[in-house]
Amino acid sequence: MATYTCDKCGMSVDITCAKCGEGLVADSIAKPDGSQVQVSKCPEGHGKIKSPMCCGQDMTCEIA
């Protein structure tokens, strides 16, 4: 399961898929301009979301 942490305040969260209960895993997708956006995705293929935010900035997670 991916653990997202706020670089500013240190708060951390774990996220699970509501459909299957599996922990979301960290991944990234490429935007049309070539830049990367960090996302969390269901390992069972139920979808993906943009990484969570805290203190007005994206929380980070190591991508394995």
Side-chain angles (χ1 to χ4, degrees), residues 37-60:
V37 175
Q38 192 171 26
V39 296
S40 300
K41 71 177 185 178
C42 173
E44 300 298 320
H46 292 125
K48 59 186 123 192
I49 62 169
K50 187 177 175 310
S51 59
M53 294 186 73
C54 185
C55 295
Q57 64 187 26
D58 286 328
M59 297 174 88
T60 58

Side-chain angles (χ1 to χ4, degrees), residues 3-44:
T3 298
Y4 285 85
T5 304
C6 176
D7 291 334
K8 225 175 195 180
C9 74
M11 180 182 145
S12 295
V13 296
D14 293 325
I15 307 169
T16 58
C17 175
K19 278 192 170 183
C20 66
E22 291 292 322
L24 300 186
V25 294
D27 197 10
S28 63
I29 57 173
K31 292 176 32 176
D33 67 4
S35 62
Q36 296 286 314
V37 175
Q38 192 171 26
V39 296
S40 300
K41 71 177 185 178
C42 173
E44 300 298 320

